[in-house]
Amino acid sequence: MKTYQNFILECSQIEESSLSRIKSKSDKGGMAVISGSRGDKSKKENKARAKQLDKDIRGKGLPGATKVSGRWDEKDDKTGKTTKVKERSHVVTSGKKGKRAFKKAVKSLGKKYGQDAVLTQTKKTGTVSATRKGGLGKDSQGRNVKRIKAGKFKPGQTSPEGDTQIKKKTFAYKK
């Protein structure tokens, strides 16, 4: 028989998240999508990195993340080859942090986990910000791209650049 303490602990670990909940977070602004996974790491390593990212998110003073499944084009620095990677991602809200502090916290987490970029949304549109030089490629003059406007949150749609899925429902950012 379960004790009351164990029952409460199990209930607190159940995540009530859905596409409509993420949509309402998007409407309020102050939301980001970040991942700890990398295409060159094993499944076991990526799982451990995702678990550690959860702890790091809370360590930065942000509320707990909603777990989602993301798709992204990852670039290999040495070969220049682009591969589609499916990874566990985290949707994070700003909580009590201001916009600048929130973006800075999310970007530093992206850097720590070797990500090409992170997606942040503080107003109505999302922005993909590079977390390392060359993370988003180069522009027509050969300079590194620092950020790209991702567009607006579109539930039920996919994008060739990347999209995110929660409970088999997809959303993407489109212009």
Side-chain angles (χ1 to χ4, degrees):
M1 187 161 160
K2 289 182 187 174
T3 65
Y4 180 72
Q5 302 280 5
N6 289 342
F7 177 74
I8 295 298
L9 184 66
E10 282 181 26
C11 289
S12 68
Q13 292 173 347
I14 296 172
E15 274 193 38
E16 288 188 32
S17 54
S18 63
L19 183 58
S20 60
R21 188 163 166 88
I22 291 175
K23 172 73 173 125
S24 71
K25 288 178 182 181
S26 167
D27 291 343
K28 291 175 189 168
M31 182 180 108
V33 181
I34 186 171
S35 173
S37 302
R38 291 294 296 167
D40 60 343
K41 305 275 184 218
S42 71
K43 199 172 186 178
K44 190 176 179 181
E45 282 178 294
N46 280 334
K47 193 172 184 178
R49 287 168 64 99
K51 206 171 188 177
Q52 184 59 45
L53 176 60
D54 254 352
K55 291 176 187 173
D56 290 345
I57 288 169
R58 287 187 181 272
K60 291 276 185 186
L62 299 168
T66 303
K67 281 88 176 167
V68 293
S69 174
R71 246 182 354 103
W72 173 260
D73 291 343
E74 204 171 271
K75 294 179 191 110
D76 189 317
D77 286 338
K78 294 170 185 137
T79 61
K81 187 180 166 194
T82 304
T83 53
K84 284 224 182 274
V85 178
K86 192 171 185 178
E87 57 193 18
R88 182 170 178 195
S89 298
H90 299 74
V91 175
V92 186
T93 56
S94 60
K96 294 179 181 172
K97 282 200 182 284
K99 289 177 184 175
R100 279 192 182 146
F102 173 62
K103 279 185 177 181
K104 190 175 179 180
V106 169
K107 211 169 171 183
S108 74
L109 286 170
K111 247 182 210 169
K112 179 180 178 181
Y113 287 90
Q115 297 301 307
D116 295 332
V118 292
L119 189 144
T120 54
Q121 178 189 342
T122 52
K123 294 181 182 172
K124 295 287 180 204
T125 59
T127 305
V128 179
S129 303
T131 56
R132 61 185 181 83
K133 287 187 175 171
L136 291 174
K138 299 199 180 281
D139 63 8
S140 58
Q141 283 98 23
R143 295 182 302 221
N144 288 327
V145 177
K146 292 182 181 176
R147 68 188 65 82
I148 301 170
K149 289 188 183 206
K152 291 186 178 183
F153 183 92
K154 302 284 184 177
Q157 294 188 18
T158 60
S159 170
E161 293 91 32
D163 49 50
T164 309
Q165 218 178 29
I166 182 165
K167 294 184 180 174
K168 298 190 178 171
K169 292 183 179 168
T170 308
F171 69 90
Y173 280 85
K174 288 186 169 181
K175 293 176 186 169

